[in-house]
Amino acid sequence: NQSLPSPGPLPAALPLPLLQALQVRAPGSWGWQARPASGQPLRYMLNLYRRAADSEGRPRRGRSLGTNTVRLVRASSHGGQPWAGRWYVQPLTYHLEGQPEVEHLLRATVVYLPNMPLARGRLLCALELAATGEAPRALLSPATRPHHGWAEADVTPYLVLGNGSVGSLALRHVCVRAGRVGGRDAPVAPSHPFLLLYLNDTQAGLAPPAAEPHRHRR
Amino acid sequence: DTGTLAHDLPGYLREQGREKSDCSLRPFPVSFAQLGWDHWIIAPHRYNPRYCKGACPRLLRYDYHAPNHAVVQSLVHQLVDANVPRPSCVPYRYSPISVLMIERDGGILYKEYENMIAESCTCR
């Protein structure tokens, strides 16, 4: 049960996907500590993980993900006071530059909580696609009925540009406090919606071997 | 010397089940902390890559999926020159593992890596 000593730097050329990932995620520093993950995004991804794999990490047969990589991207907000009376408006940007080239985008969704209970009343939220030079502002509608309170809106068409590359996505998170007028609820900052990229990593490992050819008993 | 082989065969076939020391799959659960990867992998908590260990029998059974060359090497060891080793007991089939990782920018990544858990062994 003794912990292994930290290995030295990894060699430059690594043939194995997992070791490549180790090199990319912790370049030159095996002592790197990830920021402690918490909150709604982690809860959502743990749920997704439990649906896709068993307790020892084996992917479940008939799993519904349909891909070998799902990347959660957090939003960066632009600061400022998002609350104005009952209204909450927060511009958000998802930066997608620097994604690995071997990961090919299959689809993208934004996940958010459309309905959050408050001590008095509720907070009702929606997502708007920010206006750009080419497209006007548009309300995103959930692609599926909310699951465990979460709603997913498909944003794939807004991410795939003409040349197949992706840059960034700008949204507005809009909420309104519903309930008794004049309620004394302290303004609650709703959890930022997050972006889920469903990707096919062509280097996550060799394809499963073809069916074993029939072999005669020797 | 086919006579030696033929003499061996009946006794071999009378064997009940496998010898305990025969090439087989063994469990070996580890934690990602033991591997030094717990700073970025948050699930699963347990990982059982398993391993293959044991002697390859003189006569390789069908369920070892051994290629013809391994059969020949086994015979060479037995009948020609013991300096040539018996075939080695190694993994034959693997399954993938799903992991959940934390990224430096606070993102969270679900990824499946192929060939991470040994599922069966062979003599090669």
Side-chain angles (χ1 to χ4, degrees), chain A residues 79-84 87-91 173 189-190:
Chain A
Q81 172 53 261
W83 281 105
W87 290 89
Y88 170 94
V89 180
Q90 179 65 272
H173 191 203

Side-chain angles (χ1 to χ4, degrees), chain B residues 27-77:
Chain B
F28 196 82
V30 293
S31 68
F32 284 113
Q34 287 174 288
L35 295 172
W37 299 349
D38 56 326
H39 61 290
W40 62 292
I41 293 180
I42 54 174
H45 294 302
R46 290 174 297 172
Y47 171 38
N48 192 349
R50 310 203 281 197
Y51 68 99
C52 294
K53 185 181 177 184
C56 288
R58 283 184 294 177
L59 295 178
L60 296 176
R61 292 189 298 267
Y62 176 72
D63 55 349
Y64 275 121
H65 305 283
N68 287 339
H69 179 271
V71 176
V72 172
Q73 185 169 328
S74 182
L75 292 174
V76 167
H77 168 82

Side-chain angles (χ1 to χ4, degrees), chain A residues 81-171:
Chain A
Q81 172 53 261
W83 281 105
R86 298 162 67 105
W87 290 89
Y88 170 94
V89 180
Q90 179 65 272
L92 301 170
T93 304
Y94 300 88
H95 296 285
L96 305 172
E97 301 88 358
Q99 300 290 336
E101 282 185 13
V102 295
E103 293 181 354
H104 302 286
L105 180 67
L106 301 178
R107 66 190 173 96
T109 61
V110 184
V111 182
Y112 65 103
L113 289 166
N115 193 335
M116 281 178 285
L118 300 174
R120 294 188 186 118
R122 311 192 74 75
L123 196 59
L124 306 175
C125 296
L127 286 175
E128 279 184 349
L129 196 66
T132 65
E134 300 159 5
R137 183 181 297 172
L139 190 68
L140 293 173
S141 53
T144 54
R145 290 173 59 191
H147 182 67
H148 291 295
W150 298 97
E152 286 195 35
D154 189 356
V155 291
T156 314
Y158 309 110
L159 284 183
V160 180
L161 306 177
N163 60 5
S165 64
V166 292
S168 63
L169 177 72
L171 300 176

Side-chain angles (χ1 to χ4, degrees), chain A residues 18-41:
Chain A
L18 181 62
L19 297 184
Q20 282 176 346
L22 278 167
Q23 189 180 41
V24 169
R25 283 174 224 301
S29 168
W30 284 74
W32 166 67
Q33 288 289 327
R35 273 186 276 170
S38 60
Q40 305 284 10

Side-chain angles (χ1 to χ4, degrees), chain A residues 49 57-58 71 74 201 212, chain B residues 92 98 103 106 108 111 119:
Chain A
Y49 183 87
R58 293 161 181 270
R71 188 178 289 279
R74 292 174 191 263
D201 184 341
E212 187 71 5
Chain B
Y92 174 66
S98 298
E103 301 197 279
I108 304 172
K111 199 175 269 282
E119 290 291 347

Side-chain angles (χ1 to χ4, degrees), chain A residues 185-212:
Chain A
D185 285 337
V188 179
S191 175
H192 286 341
F194 47 86
L195 184 63
L196 282 187
L197 303 176
Y198 291 82
L199 304 149
N200 182 29
D201 184 341
T202 54
Q203 288 188 353
L206 298 173
E212 187 71 5

